[in-house]
Every structure is written in structure tokens, then in C-alpha cells.
Amino acid sequence: MGKMIYLDNAATTKTAPEVVEAMLPYFTEMYGNPSSVYDFAGKSKDAVTKGREQIANVLGAQKEEIYFTAGGSEADNWALKATFEAYKSKGNHIITTKIEHHAILHTCEYLEKERGAKITYLDVDENGVVKLDELEKAITPETILISVMFANNEIGTLQPIKEIGMIAKEHGILFHTDAVQAFGQVPINVDELGIDMLSSSGHKLNGPKGIGFLYIRKGVKIRSFVHGGAQERKRRAGTENVPGIVGFGVAAERAMHSMADRTAKEVLVRDHLISRITSEIPYVKLNGHPKKRLPNNVNVSFQFVEGESMLLMLDSFGICASSGSACTSGSLDPSHVLLAIGLPHEIAHGSLRLTLSEETTMEDADFVVDKLKDIVANLRSMSPLYEDFIKKQNK
Ligand SMILES: *Cc1c(COP(=O)(O)O)cnc(C)c1O
């Protein structure tokens, strides 16, 4: 086996060397607790402040509006649960979509079952885009929050965030977005887009795992999430993850500076992959919006192929990918996102997600397509469904 080709950057990314380098001294030499008073601890406190500034810069936010968490899932939980608690005297209705990450969907289900919330799960169109007229129609006097993800983690579709922000503002409703996949990949300005809360996570943009943040616009009266010490302006207690914050700050700055060049390069490789796969392999469909999609996302469905089998065979060639089918999620149902864009179960089961990084080359892409052609042909040759289909075609 040759080198590994890692095409699962939506699951997690390689921590960039300069990120690791920036973090190391905060394990070894500058290990002080930012809350302590002596000069030594001040270095840790300064590092946390710098990380906060670096991240606020990327969003056009103020550093006091960034609250560090232990990752994207925590930020999503916080945004929904604490907004609900703080605003439930005003109303109990939250609007979200059917294609959110489970950190949002399962939190909504909890609020619905245990806390008396009413949740509207908006449909999306065949490209995975929220329908703005249906969003407007779903709003009631009880609506306190709209939560729509910035970019989908499976099919890469980007949502009309600015339009959603405008609708929320017109109706005096808070707007939260799960931007875990979008932060550092597409330009985001919270003021221009009318975003009140935004979740992100370090490990999706070449930062460390276990660190994320929730942006909370000044004036939003959301409850504290962790009670204890006075960290994060008393809203999220616990000694700060100083190395994580330092690493996330460097990763965010790095992602912002390299965004234009990096994503332009990724788009070329992405479109090359899409064009070769859809033209050279029969009975295949691209999932997600053809244009309004993350620069590094390819998601395709092959008829008469099982996604899991495809992943195992790709793995045997050192190719790391992901599918929208059964076993990965521990359930027999295919991905809720693929079902929401209208794919029948059997086609959703044959899905493949390839998510690129700045290191993915055209040669990598060609190697993957060459292998994929053989794998799909091979799996189809073993499929009784495919055999029947071909027989019918030839009649
Ligand atoms: C990865 C991801 C999360 C969860 O982030 P963690 O830091 O892994 O908890 C939430 N939402 C989306 C869209 C994601 O891609």
C-alpha cells in the first residue's frame, strides 16, 4: 500500500504544525492558571485573550462576544438549551431544519420531549437549501429562536444565511447558526449576516480537538451553561483550555489568511473529482447544491452499491472517506440529510462523501477516481439488483 489519501476532512482535520508549535509551551512552560494573580499566570491569561481576539477578528465580532467551549457539540447544546430557558416566558417555539447535525437535532428532541418546547423542522429542497417562504410561514408569536446551519457537513450545501438573518431580525427573533463546517472555509461577518449566535469547533479547521466556541452577540440574554467559577464572563465556568484556545486562535487566523488561495485550489480539485466521477461512472448522482457548496465537499450516490462496502475497498487502497449509509451511525437508516433531499433509501445507502484539504492534489483525485471506477464496477458485478436492472435495460 502506498501513501494514505485522507478525504474525510469534514470529520476532522490534521492539526497544522504551526498550531501544535504554538500550543506546546502552554503545556510545558506556561502552565499557569489564567485566573491566578501572579505574573506567571498572566502569561496564560494573555494567551487566552489573544486567542479570543484572533477568533473575533475572523467574524468581525468583539472579543467579549466569544465564549470558549469544549467543542462544536457543546456550543450547539448551549445555544439551544440556554436560549430556550432564558426566553421561554416569551415563547416556546424554535425553528430549525431537517438537515442539522445531531448536536442540534438531538438537543431539539430533548427540549421537545423534556422541556415543553415546540420545534418546527423545516424541509429543504432537492439541493439541500432551506425554503425561505416556508421559514416565514413557520414563524409564530411564540417563536424565540431560528437555528439553521451555515453549511451542511454531509452534502456541503451553503444556506442563504443573510436572508435568514434578515427574516429573524424583521420578526425580532434570535438567529443561531451552526457554522462548524463553514468557519474558516467561507467569509463570515456576523453583523453583515445578522447572526446573533454562532457555533464553531477547532478540529474542523486544522486546530486541536476538544475546543470550540459560541459567539453570543452583546445583549442576547442567554443563560450560563456551566456554573462554577467566573471564567468566560460567568457564562461557562471551568479553568480555560489554554493550549486549546491558543491552538484554535492560530488555526482561525491561519484559515482566514489562507482562505482565498486554499479554497480556490480546493474548488479546482473538487470540480475535477465531480466531473470525472459523474462522467466516467454510470448511474451516479451528485448530492448537494452544484454551486453553493463548501469548496472541499464532494458527495455522490451510486445506484446498486452499498456505501459501507465502498469505504472498505477504498480503505484497502489507503483512501479515507465517509458514506451516508448505515453502520457508521450505528443505525440501519441512511443519513437523515440524504433522505431530506429526497433520495430513496436504496440510493442514499450508496453514498460517498469525499472532503478535501489544501493538501489534496489532482494526482490524488485521479488515483481516487481510477480506484472508484473499479470498485463500483466490482460491487455492481456482485449485485443481483444490478443484474436484473441490466437485463431489463437490454430487453
Ligand atoms: C463536527 C460538527 C459538529 C460537532 O463538533 P465537535 O467539535 O466535534 O463537537 C457540529 N456541527 C457540525 C456541522 C459539525 O460538522
Side-chain angles (χ1 to χ4, degrees):
M1 197 180 95
K3 67 166 184 170
M4 177 177 85
I5 299 182
Y6 183 78
L7 297 180
D8 203 15
N9 287 279
T12 196
T13 57
K14 170 160 129 185
T15 315
E18 59 265 48
V19 169
V20 176
E21 202 181 316
M23 290 171 73
L24 284 176
Y26 293 92
F27 291 104
T28 51
E29 292 144 37
M30 291 177 275
Y31 52 82
N33 186 322
S35 301
S36 302
V37 292
Y38 33 80
D39 188 52
F40 171 59
K43 291 195 172 42
S44 302
K45 191 175 178 177
D46 292 347
V48 168
T49 304
K50 184 170 175 208
R52 208 185 296 286
E53 278 168 359
Q54 285 168 317
I55 284 169
N57 254 338
V58 179
L59 295 172
Q62 295 169 35
K63 68 177 191 305
E64 295 76 20
E65 296 173 311
I66 305 298
Y67 295 82
F68 287 110
T69 66
S73 300
E74 184 185 313
D76 283 344
N77 269 258
W78 185 4
L80 297 181
K81 290 177 182 167
T83 304
F84 180 72
E85 290 300 330
Y87 289 84
K88 68 180 175 208
S89 61
K90 183 176 170 249
N92 68 343
H93 183 225
I94 295 173
I95 301 174
T96 186
T97 78
K98 288 189 177 161
I99 62 163
E100 299 296 309
H101 189 273
H102 283 142
I104 294 288
L105 287 181
H106 291 167
T107 306
C108 284
E109 283 163 24
Y110 158 77
L111 289 173
E112 211 169 13
K113 289 201 182 98
E114 313 284 339
R115 309 293 305 163
K118 250 190 106 239
I119 315 276
T120 299
Y121 301 92
L122 295 174
D123 285 317
V124 291
D125 69 14
E126 69 279 8
N127 290 325
V129 183
V130 167
K131 301 168 189 162
L132 296 172
D133 53 332
E134 291 195 5
L135 168 63
E136 290 237 51
K137 267 187 255 159
I139 294 171
T140 74
E142 302 291 305
T143 311
I144 52 171
L145 178 67
I146 296 170
S147 182
V148 176
M149 71 199 317
F150 208 113
N152 184 268
N153 47 302
E154 292 188 34
I155 57 175
T157 299
L158 295 162
Q159 298 298 337
I161 294 296
K162 189 170 186 175
E163 287 77 3
I164 298 170
M166 275 161 64
I167 292 171
K169 198 166 198 173
E170 265 167 41
H171 292 84
I173 301 167
L174 292 174
F175 175 35
H176 166 258
T177 185
D178 174 343
V180 174
Q181 290 291 335
F183 184 70
Q185 285 275 40
V186 296
I188 303 178
N189 181 296
V190 285
D191 288 341
E192 282 168 18
L193 299 174
I195 296 166
D196 296 307
M197 285 175 276
L198 176 146
S199 308
S200 177
S201 178
H203 74 102
K204 303 282 173 81
L205 63 142
N206 308 101
K209 294 171 180 62
I211 183 78
F213 71 83
L214 181 64
Y215 156 82
I216 309 174
R217 179 179 292 283
K218 255 189 197 140
V220 172
K221 285 186 265 309
I222 173 177
R223 295 276 167 89
S224 301
F225 195 59
V226 180
H227 302 275
Q231 293 93 352
E232 302 302 294
R233 281 128 292 142
K234 295 191 184 156
R235 281 174 146 175
R236 201 277 189 184
T239 301
E240 296 87 342
N241 175 356
V242 180
I245 291 169
V246 168
F248 197 0
V250 172
E253 198 168 80
R254 178 183 177 276
M256 182 176 69
H257 290 315
S258 67
M259 191 185 294
D261 289 347
R262 169 172 44 92
T263 57
K265 187 178 160 226
E266 284 173 357
V267 163
L268 289 178
V269 182
R270 176 195 74 184
D271 291 347
H272 181 66
L273 271 167
I274 292 175
S275 122
R276 273 202 68 193
I277 291 173
T278 54
S279 64
E280 296 179 32
I281 303 179
Y283 313 115
V284 62
K285 174 190 179 303
L286 175 70
N287 297 316
H289 198 285
K291 290 273 170 297
K292 291 176 207 151
R293 69 189 301 133
L294 286 171
N296 71 337
N297 176 289
V298 176
N299 189 309
V300 282
S301 292
F302 302 95
Q303 265 179 278
F304 316 109
V305 170
E306 193 58 55
E308 296 295 315
S309 317
M310 219 168 1
L311 292 190
L312 293 176
M313 294 176 86
L314 285 167
D315 189 28
S316 72
F317 295 108
I319 301 165
C320 305
S322 164
S323 88
S325 71
C327 315
T328 25
S329 57
S331 109
L332 283 175
D333 292 329
S335 133
H336 62 285
V337 176
L338 298 176
L339 296 181
I341 59 171
L343 294 194
H345 277 242
E346 68 276 13
I347 295 185
H349 274 304
S351 298
L352 178 71
R353 180 185 74 182
L354 306 171
T355 43
L356 327 180
S357 77
E358 59 206 294
E359 294 181 5
T360 313
T361 63
M362 283 291 183
E363 290 71 34
D364 293 340
D366 282 326
F367 178 78
V368 170
V369 179
D370 292 343
K371 293 301 170 209
L372 197 55
K373 283 167 76 172
D374 292 347
I375 290 170
V376 170
N378 203 332
L379 289 171
R380 281 177 178 164
S381 74
M382 297 186 277
S383 158
L385 285 171
Y386 184 65
E387 201 182 329
D388 282 355
F389 173 79
I390 293 299
K391 268 187 202 150
K392 277 187 199 134
Q393 293 266 303
N394 292 340
K395 263 188 193 155

